[in-house]
Amino acid sequence: MKAWHLTDTTGPDSLELADVPEPQPGSGEVRIRLTSSGLNHLDLWVSRGLPKPSTLPHILGADGAGVVDAVGSGVSGFEIGDEIVIDPSMSCGKCSFCRNDEIVYCDDFKILGEHLNGTLTESVVIPTINAVRKPQAMSWDVAGSFGLVTVTALRMLERAGIAAGQRVLIVGVGGGVSAAALGLANGLGADVYVTSRSQMKIDLAVEQGAKGGFLSDSEFGKEMAALGGANIVIENVGPATFRQSSKAAIPGGKILVCGGTSGSKVELSLPFLFFKQLEIIGSSMGTHSQFARATDYVGRGKAKAFVDRTFDFSDVPEAMAYLDSGQQFGKVVISRS
């Protein structure tokens, strides 16, 4: 079968299409013949060695969906032909965190495509706990791409205790997690506001249900505060926006952080933090039950998943370049149809 091999960590230009042996499922595993995959900024970071894969060549890709075409020993409840969405969160399955569905705290937590070979290939083997049945109404483009960003956004919103009628500010809308947070927060009844460096992306977000938006390089904290402030701020940009995000939050508001695309360090005014009694919550990925909820929300249309553009499997380097350009609003999909 074919797979896109990352042969170095000098960026997406290190990808090469290669012939690889087809994987065989072991005990408790199923093999998925992939129909679609989704790209994430994680793929760009890993291609640049952030983090560097433990071995090269490496196969990128966290998200994917397809059809079961082989079943390992000891598997029950899955048959050849089942349509599957892949949950990309892997763990030991044995520790107390795993037993209590808190896999994100497992010492052996891994992400498909980052720590393990991923979905930029034709077939992938996964444990059955990572195989989630595709809702019938869900398109293959959505099924293969919504997972990682939507479960990440859902965990952030759930940890913030989102409720209908709250104001949610999403910083840097257009990227995968931010677009997923828009779709989820809208579906959960919040009043959503967004920021972006692109007025076009702000306008798109408003068309998709946001109440309004602000340019990211403006004093958007003051603008949001003038509207009453945000109960919840979704932050994945970092130093370029964090000060404004803090200003945007109401007293007692929550700032959820899942990334730092503009850098890894921010300067924090401690008096500002404690006088406003803000909560800053770090969050990443999600649990198996959260992935199941995310799949259900998107499958039922309670939350919208945004697909920006679809590329053929043979055009993965072009798709990576497009993602790297930052033009997208939502997910970039790799199709094998």
Side-chain angles (χ1 to χ4, degrees), residues 156-218:
M156 294 170 79
L157 292 169
E158 289 186 342
R159 293 188 72 191
I162 188 172
Q166 289 185 328
R167 290 181 295 274
V168 176
L169 176 64
I170 300 170
V171 179
V173 77
V177 173
S178 296
L182 169 62
L184 283 164
N186 272 337
L188 295 170
D191 293 333
V192 183
Y193 295 83
V194 302
T195 84
S196 176
R197 291 178 295 177
S198 164
Q199 185 63 48
M200 181 182 71
K201 291 185 179 182
I202 293 172
D203 293 342
L204 282 171
V206 171
E207 288 176 15
Q208 296 297 334
K211 299 292 185 182
F214 321 101
L215 292 170
S216 293
D217 56 2
S218 71

Side-chain angles (χ1 to χ4, degrees), residues 241-255:
T241 58
F242 198 86
R243 183 168 175 269
Q244 293 301 321
S245 293
S246 301
K247 289 183 176 182
I250 64 170
K254 298 178 176 66
I255 302 173

Side-chain angles (χ1 to χ4, degrees), residues 34 40 42-43 58-64 86-90 109-119 124-127 130 148 285:
L34 291 160
N40 292 283
L42 175 64
D43 300 310
H58 176 74
I59 302 172
L60 300 170
D63 290 318
I86 296 172
D87 178 349
S89 297
M90 307 283 181
F109 182 80
K110 293 180 172 66
I111 303 172
L112 201 65
E114 178 181 357
H115 310 99
L116 305 167
N117 281 327
T119 60
V124 65
V125 167
I126 58 171
N130 294 90
L148 182 146
M285 299 298 291

Side-chain angles (χ1 to χ4, degrees), residues 14-28:
S14 301
L15 287 167
E16 294 181 0
L17 191 60
D19 290 304
V20 299
E22 191 165 51
Q24 300 302 316
S27 177

